[in-house]
Amino acid sequence: MVSYSGDQLRKDFVYSTSKDYVTPSGESAHYVQGHPKSFGDELTYIPFEKKVGKRDYGPLWSFNHTHTLFASGTGKDIHIYTIPSRHEEAEGIEKGKLIQTLSGHTGRLHLVSFIPGQSNRLVSFSEQYGYPDSDLDEKSKLKPKPKSEIIFWDLDNIKSPSITDQDILTTSKKGLESISDHLQSLDFNITPETKEEIEQTVYKLLSREHIDQLIPSDSKINGRLTAHFGSPIFNNKGDKMVYMPGDRPKSNGDDKWDLCLYDITTRKTIQSFIGHRDAIMWIGFSPDDTLLASVAWDKSIRIWDVDNGEEKYKFETENQNWAGKWSFDGKFFFGTCGSGPIRIWNIDQGGQLVWEYNYKEWCRAIDWSLDGKYLALGGKGNGKIIVFNVGSIFHPSDSDVIDSNTLMTTEQPESIEQEQEKPKPFIAFERTLDISSLPKDVVSFAGSMISIGSLSFLPPSTGLKLVSNTGAESAIEMFDLETKGKRRFVQKNEDDLGQVRGWEWLEERKEFVTVHGDGLRFWNL
């Protein structure tokens, strides 16, 4: 069997398309003048003091709502950077710089996010694996630390540590020296292995005590946040947060996967949503914050009443479910199933199924344009992106389920003319990458490794632009659905700059910023 790694794939892959956002009439995308752009062509570059590692997965970065601060998580720490205004940059007053490092997590970070509407408050989530406190026996007065931890941070009230990690390490070594010297005076010698174990235990206990003193107990929750596929953890108002209580249950089986609603102001859990029995992959509030949708591996997509916690609708599917999205008006919900089917339900009309399409593979990267017209999906094969025009679902017949695979409704039309007049969703644009640059002995399976990492529509103020990145390359691509113009922001050299992490539109600067493992790059569209 041929062995082939993701790192080798990125070296072998040469960007080329077999379908370049092709329309039903056969038109393709064209490059906007000046593109593709390479790293070094950006307006501004803010480097990170510590490059993000390859093991740092998930949404580990966030801007505050004024775009004046940026948080980057790596390992167990969070780094806070200033983002100068364009005027400050022009005047040479200030450049982006690291101003704070937040330490307190004992596990690897999975999510970092500023709280909406609050410039100096953020939340983070970490998990540790294995059994870090297994050396604490039943007689120990120390309780095992939770493996899953959520921490709330107020940047204006961060307690400055009185000692550093190096101080703790030095103290542990000195403690070991004292123990060893005392035992030697009693003509008792300990082995190097025992010395190492004593030093590590002392260091661990002192580090634990240090963290407990730095982070108040009311700023921590034993729980988990959804760090998958663009899942928003806050409601649209920004005063509530949804989380999963306790340490991680079993997945790919049958276990208790509950949800809780947390009030940001009172710092209290105010509601529970109970019913899922396998891993929850996506959670999101309806635009008016009255409903909560959850997408899970237990072959169900559920819609909950936020006020009373009751399950309003349960949509059963054939397989594990991966992602979801509300329509701009909250009347429709879209969900993806791992075995291929994608569906839209009309929540405003009792959860009626109004559209389904067999994508034939799982798709985890999805977004719905704010005008409701376009639904974008990214799959796992050959960098495929499909953009559907789904505007017709907002005015369907009460009894019809539209199936775009057969272009037929579930009920036969009274006449051919009636069928032709009935509008249906259709594929408006399709992009597929050409993988012929890869070695011939891996082409048969390497295509499935070229998946869409994420995609999203930019705000309406920019027009109608879809942004995406593909796992096989260190590039971000932008397609304008109105002009069919394409932009690409590409790392051309072979330096390891870390993985592509995401992007953001800065409305006040009218600039597009791309987030990479080594820093932030600001671009003019």
Side-chain angles (χ1 to χ4, degrees), residues 254 369 378 390 470 521:
D254 181 34
S369 63
V390 295
T470 306
R521 289 175 172 82

Side-chain angles (χ1 to χ4, degrees), residues 47 70-71 84 138 165 168 173 177 202 265-266 292 321 330 343 365 386 404 444 483 496 513 525:
F70 177 83
E138 295 179 356
D165 190 67
I168 296 174
K173 291 182 180 295
E177 290 173 2
V202 172
T265 304
T266 64
L292 177 70
N321 301 296
R343 298 179 174 95
I386 294 180
S404 291
S444 61
T483 67
D496 182 10
V513 58
L525 298 186

Side-chain angles (χ1 to χ4, degrees), residues 123-154:
V123 64
S124 54
F125 156 57
S126 70
E127 278 192 303
Q128 51 183 325
Y129 301 98
Y131 300 90
D133 289 329
S134 59
D135 54 331
L136 302 178
D137 60 28
E138 295 179 356
K139 296 181 181 179
S140 175
K141 294 183 180 180
L142 294 175
K143 295 181 179 180
K145 296 283 287 185
K147 297 178 185 178
S148 302
E149 192 168 51
I150 299 168
I151 297 181
F152 294 89
W153 308 86
D154 185 342

Side-chain angles (χ1 to χ4, degrees), residues 326-510:
W326 287 94
S327 63
F328 72 98
D329 57 3
K331 294 182 179 181
F332 298 89
F333 185 77
F334 167 73
T336 73
C337 178
S339 56
I342 59 176
R343 298 179 174 95
I344 294 177
W345 292 271
N346 188 331
I347 306 302
D348 205 40
Q349 294 187 6
Q352 177 192 9
L353 177 65
V354 295
W355 180 65
E356 60 183 351
Y357 177 87
N358 187 1
Y359 195 72
K360 298 181 181 178
E361 62 184 40
W362 55 251
C363 57
R364 301 169 178 173
I366 64 173
D367 200 15
W368 203 332
S369 63
L370 286 178
D371 63 0
K373 186 175 181 180
Y374 293 104
L375 191 64
L377 298 91
K380 72 173 183 177
N382 296 1
K384 181 191 293 184
I385 295 175
I386 294 180
V387 181
F388 289 95
N389 183 325
V390 295
S392 61
I393 71 162
F394 290 92
H395 306 285
S397 168
D398 290 341
S399 61
D400 288 336
V401 176
I402 302 171
D403 183 343
S404 291
N405 294 283
T406 60
L407 296 181
M408 293 285 288
T409 60
T410 55
E411 294 187 5
Q412 294 297 319
E414 295 178 2
S415 65
I416 295 177
E417 289 75 19
Q418 179 186 0
E419 173 64 14
Q420 291 175 340
E421 292 173 0
K422 194 182 296 294
K424 304 175 182 65
F426 60 89
I427 295 176
F429 304 94
E430 183 174 357
R431 188 204 77 164
T432 307
L433 297 180
D434 180 355
I435 63 172
S436 60
S437 62
L438 300 179
K440 292 182 179 180
D441 57 342
V442 303
V443 166
S444 61
F445 64 86
S448 65
M449 300 170 66
I450 306 178
S451 61
I452 302 301
S454 56
L455 57 75
S456 66
F457 287 99
L458 290 187
S461 62
T462 66
L464 195 55
K465 294 179 173 63
L466 177 68
V467 186
S468 64
N469 80 285
T470 306
E473 55 173 352
S474 296
I476 290 176
E477 188 166 282
M478 181 186 299
F479 174 65
D480 190 318
L481 279 68
E482 296 173 323
T483 67
K484 302 180 182 63
K486 185 172 71 171
R487 295 171 172 87
R488 277 176 59 82
F489 309 90
V490 185
Q491 173 194 342
K492 286 192 174 181
N493 59 46
E494 296 184 359
D495 295 338
D496 182 10
L497 302 182
Q499 61 182 347
V500 173
R501 307 182 76 197
W503 51 83
E504 182 115 345
W505 172 253
L506 306 189
E507 184 64 37
E508 61 282 354
R509 297 170 63 125
K510 303 298 181 185

Side-chain angles (χ1 to χ4, degrees), residues 157-178:
N157 294 288
I158 297 294
K159 186 177 180 180
S160 299
S162 56
I163 60 174
T164 66
D165 190 67
Q166 184 60 46
D167 293 330
I168 296 174
L169 182 60
T170 300
T171 301
S172 303
K173 291 182 180 295
K174 288 183 177 180
L176 173 61
E177 290 173 2
S178 298

